[in-house]
Amino acid sequence: MPPKVDPTEIKYVVLRATGGEVPGGSALAPKIGPLGLSPKKVGDDIAKATADWKGLRLTVRLVIQNRQATVEVLPSASSLVIKALKEPPRDKKKEKNSELIGNS
């Protein structure tokens, strides 16, 4: 029988995700599956939390307590700069090696 889980215990899971998109189940399942969470549900939560960072790669921290995951977005410096320049979201499938449009 597995050991009793402490409901006050807090676990952190850090991963990289593209803003506004659901991360692949293959990236989420090995990390959160053993904690008793559904990768599909957590992926939808990540997509909602990162909606205003659409198209940018972000670091996301999941705070898991009592089988409930809350999403914290940890943007990198480059993500903050691109967002401050109000760059349009980049479609990764169509545009390769895009140049920034800001003041140079």
Side-chain angles (χ1 to χ4, degrees):
M1 220 158 121
K4 189 90 170 137
V5 178
D6 182 15
T8 60
E9 183 181 15
I10 297 175
K11 295 213 183 237
Y12 297 98
V13 176
V14 180
L15 58 115
R16 299 265 299 164
T18 304
E21 296 179 12
V22 178
S26 59
L28 283 176
K31 295 181 180 184
I32 64 171
L35 301 174
L37 296 169
S38 163
K40 183 172 181 354
K41 182 180 174 301
V42 174
D44 292 339
D45 292 344
I46 291 172
K48 277 186 216 153
T50 60
D52 53 339
W53 298 88
K54 191 162 181 59
L56 298 175
R57 291 278 291 166
L58 301 164
T59 303
V60 177
R61 181 168 60 186
L62 301 172
V63 181
I64 301 166
Q65 182 176 16
N66 200 15
R67 292 188 58 201
Q68 295 292 317
T70 54
V71 180
E72 294 179 2
V73 178
L74 308 171
S76 63
S78 60
S79 298
L80 291 170
V81 167
I82 291 172
K83 189 172 181 185
L85 290 173
K86 296 184 174 72
E87 289 290 322
R90 182 173 75 93
D91 187 3
K92 294 187 300 187
K93 294 178 181 145
K94 294 180 183 171
E95 298 175 31
K96 305 284 185 200
N97 302 326
S98 67
E99 293 290 322
L100 297 179
I101 305 170
N103 295 337
S104 50

